[in-house]
Amino acid sequence: MPRVERIGSAWQKRHIGHFIGGDWVASDSGRSYQNRSPWSGEVLSEVAAGDGEDTQRAITAAHLAFGGWAGAPPWRRQQIFLRAADILEGRRTEVLGALAAETGCGRHFGDVQIGFALKLLRQAAQLAYQPTGHLLPSDVEGTQAMAVRRPVGVVAAIAPWNASLTLSGRAVVGPLALGNTVVLKPSEESPYTGGALWAEILQEAGLPPGTFNVVTHAPGEAGVVGDTMLASPLVKRINFTGSTPTGRRLAEKAGRHLKRVVLQLSGQNPLIVVRDADVEYAVNASAYGAFMHQGQVCMCARRVYVERPLAEEFNARFAAKVANLPTGDPSDPATVVGPVINEWALALLDRRVKEAVELGARVLAGGVPAPPCYPATVLTDVPDEAEIAQGETFGPVVIVEAVDSAEDAVTRANASDLGLAASIITGDAHRGLRLASRLDAGIVHVNDQPVNDEPHMPFGGVKDSGWGRFGLGFAAEEFCELQWVTVRDQDRTFPF
């Protein structure tokens, strides 16, 4: 089993295999790849490089396990998820270290991820006891009608690296708790914390073999795994969290197979500071919302709109705070801005910031790479034609813009093709709610920043930020079929 052990300040190298049918197995091809730390460059593990054959094995295992798991009594499912939560809690220190080593995740966001995962498991434990349908009135005399919710079967889950523990957990726990079986494809950047770790925990908690499976793949080889999931008639649902371009391609292919998907995609996530806001609070909220996990969270604020009466003071105080955010080793509990995930991400950030400056933007803080980190960076006067202003730039860079009014900020925010999360900071909460109702976003927080999630909330976006909703309170709508069933208590009379 691919366990992680802390030895001083170094992580023990190990092999991570696929988890299929309750067993740890190598790829059919025998290939593997090296998983490296974004901070130190150290090889953390040799990881199985899967392909379509491995994926099909996992799908078959999940299909064979479905009947037994779907028919398991509620107490059994509840017991497994509660036990899994206790196991994760007991491994908190180890998991924090693994998140730091594998994804550059600092203590602040590591605590957020573990807290979410614990709530997720404990809330999932009660799903087995939720009503599975309801009675419906029928106009046909002597007929009793019911709408019955049933698990769909095999669910394919595709999860990203940036919040590896949280987003992989969210992708699999809800479907499992509803009686489905799951095949998970974690990112090649987080095969352990986004995949094998969940397999370890759920196996130890007593989840039956085949109910949950993990297939890993080498960099650049996600397509063959995803295509196999899409094409298999045994896979009934797919959920994906990642970028809009990848989600669009996946949705196009899913349409050819008439396969339902849940997509949580990119976000530009405006944060609006109204002129009656408390400036200190707005500065602190904006710093947290923009630079949590060095800006590598789908909900991070990418643009801060500030009404002009506050703009000069806000910019000065915000830039001063951002310039002093601790940057460096993610294993240091004081670190706020750790390494970005890889060299490609670092180069992209540097290129986009430099292009914006060449087009007339001003740098208020940061802006100079310090490999493997990119410092927390604040830009202003960014022209609309700059690439960094046109979509999601995944990293510790935020654009600040002065606006004439909060209504103008809403108009500018709504001009984006993306609509995941947004936030409004104001001294008048009722006005904040009125502004929230006009924002084209799936999530809006008034008097908070946009980086928020709870397991039972309807998490998801609008426009090019995806469709469908994650969240245990809404998982049944995505991962169950609704069956209309009737029964008659007497024979029916037919006209012929």
Side-chain angles (χ1 to χ4, degrees):
M1 182 178 295
R3 291 294 295 270
V4 176
E5 297 179 11
R6 192 73 187 253
I7 303 175
S9 60
W11 288 92
Q12 179 180 338
K13 297 176 179 64
R14 65 202 183 285
H15 182 80
I16 295 177
H18 306 308
F19 185 69
I20 298 176
D23 295 321
W24 297 97
V25 298
S27 296
D28 271 354
S29 66
R31 295 187 307 119
S32 64
Y33 75 96
Q34 292 184 333
N35 179 31
R36 293 181 178 272
S37 165
W39 169 249
S40 66
E42 175 189 3
V43 176
L44 301 174
S45 54
E46 287 285 336
V47 184
D51 55 22
E53 295 296 325
D54 301 301
T55 307
Q56 191 56 57
R57 278 195 295 154
I59 291 169
T60 300
H63 175 69
L64 293 174
F66 171 62
W69 178 242
W75 69 265
R76 179 63 177 143
R77 288 194 221 161
Q78 182 184 61
Q79 181 185 62
I80 289 169
F81 290 115
L82 291 176
R83 187 178 294 156
D86 291 342
I87 292 167
L88 174 60
E89 192 159 40
R91 296 176 62 177
R92 173 184 288 269
T93 301
E94 173 195 343
V95 173
L96 285 170
L99 287 167
E102 188 170 63
T103 66
C105 176
R107 177 60 58 87
H108 301 292
F109 193 51
D111 284 336
V112 168
Q113 289 202 65
I114 291 177
F116 179 95
L118 290 172
K119 292 176 185 176
L120 175 72
L121 289 165
R122 287 170 177 149
Q123 290 183 26
Q126 55 81 32
L127 277 188
Y129 287 99
Q130 293 299 302
T132 58
H134 52 276
L135 296 176
L136 302 171
S138 174
D139 286 332
V140 181
E141 187 176 349
T143 294
Q144 295 181 359
M146 296 164 279
V148 181
R149 175 170 54 78
R150 305 168 52 178
V152 298
V154 179
V155 174
I158 303 174
W161 56 266
N162 60 306
S164 54
L165 182 72
T166 292
L167 297 182
S168 290
R170 184 183 72 178
V172 306
V173 170
L176 285 171
L178 291 165
N180 300 292
T181 55
V182 174
V183 177
L184 170 66
K185 186 205 80 64
S187 167
E188 67 271 25
E189 304 282 4
S190 56
Y192 182 72
T193 55
L197 174 61
W198 277 109
E200 288 179 2
I201 289 170
L202 291 170
Q203 183 182 48
E204 185 177 345
L207 196 68
T211 306
F212 176 59
N213 307 271
V214 180
V215 176
T216 54
H217 62 85
E221 299 181 6
V224 66
V225 177
D227 287 348
T228 303
M229 291 173 163
L230 284 164
S232 173
L234 299 180
V235 173
K236 305 303 182 183
R237 293 285 193 279
I238 291 181
N239 68 72
F240 170 81
T241 300
S243 71
T244 293
T246 303
R248 181 175 283 111
R249 291 193 296 270
L250 188 150
E252 290 171 351
K253 293 180 179 180
R256 291 198 291 270
H257 296 283
L258 293 179
K259 194 155 294 185
R260 281 179 55 181
V261 295
V262 179
L263 300 173
Q264 190 257 287
L265 308 176
S266 306
Q268 207 175 34
N269 312 322
L271 189 158
I272 299 171
V273 180
V274 182
R275 68 184 64 202
D276 61 4
D278 179 279
V279 176
E280 182 178 4
Y281 179 73
V283 165
N284 291 336
S286 298
Y288 181 95
F291 301 114
M292 171 62 81
H293 192 35
Q294 45 275 13
Q296 298 176 130
V297 180
C298 58
M299 298 168 280
C300 276
R302 308 297 176 193
R303 301 190 76 129
V304 179
Y305 296 101
V306 187
E307 284 202 79
R308 290 194 189 280
L310 293 185
E312 184 176 353
E313 181 185 1
F314 176 89
N315 285 356
R317 294 173 67 170
F318 185 49
K321 181 179 181 70
V322 170
N324 288 298
L325 293 177
T327 301
D329 186 349
S331 67
D332 183 344
T335 295
V336 172
V337 180
V340 294
I341 191 62
N342 54 39
E343 293 178 356
W344 179 88
L346 186 68
L348 181 65
L349 286 164
D350 189 37
R351 179 176 65 78
R352 288 186 174 176
V353 169
K354 285 179 178 176
E355 184 218 29
V357 171
E358 289 171 358
L359 292 172
R362 292 188 295 124
V363 178
L364 300 183
V368 179
C373 300
Y374 197 90
T377 297
V378 181
L379 302 178
T380 192
D381 299 333
V382 176
D384 289 342
E385 63 267 27
E387 190 174 352
I388 203 166
Q390 295 176 3
E392 181 181 55
T393 295
F394 217 58
V397 180
V398 67
I399 298 170
V400 178
E401 182 176 342
V403 291
D404 294 328
S405 67
E407 288 73 18
D408 182 33
V410 170
T411 299
R412 290 190 63 79
N414 286 345
S416 172
D417 292 332
L418 303 176
L420 181 57
S423 59
I424 301 163
I425 298 179
T426 174
D428 183 348
H430 294 290
R431 186 186 183 197
L433 287 172
R434 290 195 296 272
L435 292 169
S437 70
R438 295 177 50 202
L439 280 165
D440 296 335
I443 305 161
V444 184
H445 302 291
V446 177
N447 286 333
D448 201 348
Q449 47 71 51
V451 184
N452 286 285
D453 197 5
E454 296 183 62
H456 58 294
M457 296 297 180
F459 192 100
V462 299
K463 300 193 289 189
D464 287 359
S465 289
W467 64 57
R469 292 295 181 268
F470 287 94
L472 295 177
F474 303 85
E477 298 174 18
E478 308 291 353
F479 303 111
C480 288
E481 297 286 11
L482 197 61
Q483 185 180 48
W484 175 31
V485 178
T486 67
V487 60
R488 291 188 55 77
D489 55 17
Q490 63 189 56
D491 291 344
R492 183 175 176 175
T493 300
F494 299 103
F496 61 86

